[in-house]
């Protein structure tokens, strides 16, 4: 059993701060080929998560610590919905349906979310990242 506690969140947050991407995953799945990917994602302000979609997979985010903004987008990049996840404010998570453009933004240092989505891992293809400059 792996306990998700303050110590684990702190360890992953330190790794996120030291990462050039300003984010770090801690995977609970043993392989990228597993049918369900479960992980915590420590994100720091300034990390860049491109607007992307998963054509065949729903994705769920649950806030464990801090604040993150989740936005969903139309094909032209305009925002459909914008929500700040913060346990203190009673907004704990979102489920993003498959095929919907979305991104996250860390609003506070040491923010950590739990993510779950269907495996297998597939690198984003050209049509999986939204390039609003081309629109």
């Amino acid at each position: 059993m792996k306990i998700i506690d303050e110590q684990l969140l702190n360890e992953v947050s330190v790794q996120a701060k030291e990462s050039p991407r300003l984010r770090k995953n801690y995977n609970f799945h043993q392989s990228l080929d597993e049918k369900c990917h479960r992980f915590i994602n420590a994100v720091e302000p300034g990390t860049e998560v491109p607007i992307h979609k998963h054509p065949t997979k729903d994705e769920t985010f649950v806030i464990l610590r801090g604040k993150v903004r989740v936005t969903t987008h139309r094909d032209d990049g305009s925002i459909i919905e914008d929500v700040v996840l913060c346990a203190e404010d009673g907004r704990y998570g979102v489920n993003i349906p498959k095929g919907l453009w979305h991104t996250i933004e860390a609003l506070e240092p040491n923010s950590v979310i739990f993510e779950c989505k269907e495996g297998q891992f597939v690198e984003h293809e050209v049509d999986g990242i939204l390039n609003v400059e081309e629109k």
Side-chain angles (χ1 to χ4, degrees), residues 21-25 39-54 59-63 65 67-73 79 81-85 93-96 100-108 111-115 117 124:
R21 294 172 15 138
L22 296 174
R23 65 181 188 266
K24 181 68 176 174
N25 287 4
F39 54 98
I40 59 174
N41 193 351
V43 293
E44 292 295 315
T47 189
E48 293 186 22
V49 178
I51 299 171
H52 65 285
K53 66 180 175 179
H54 308 284
E59 185 169 25
T60 301
F61 303 131
V62 177
I63 192 78
R65 177 169 72 188
K67 284 185 182 180
V68 298
R69 178 182 312 280
V70 180
T71 53
T72 58
H73 300 261
I79 294 175
E81 287 185 277
D82 177 342
V83 64
V84 174
L85 302 182
V94 295
N95 186 71
I96 307 291
L100 185 60
W101 296 108
H102 63 281
T103 190
I104 65 167
E105 173 190 4
L107 300 177
E108 290 184 354
S111 293
V112 182
I113 58 176
F114 177 83
E115 293 189 40
K117 63 185 163 196
H124 293 297

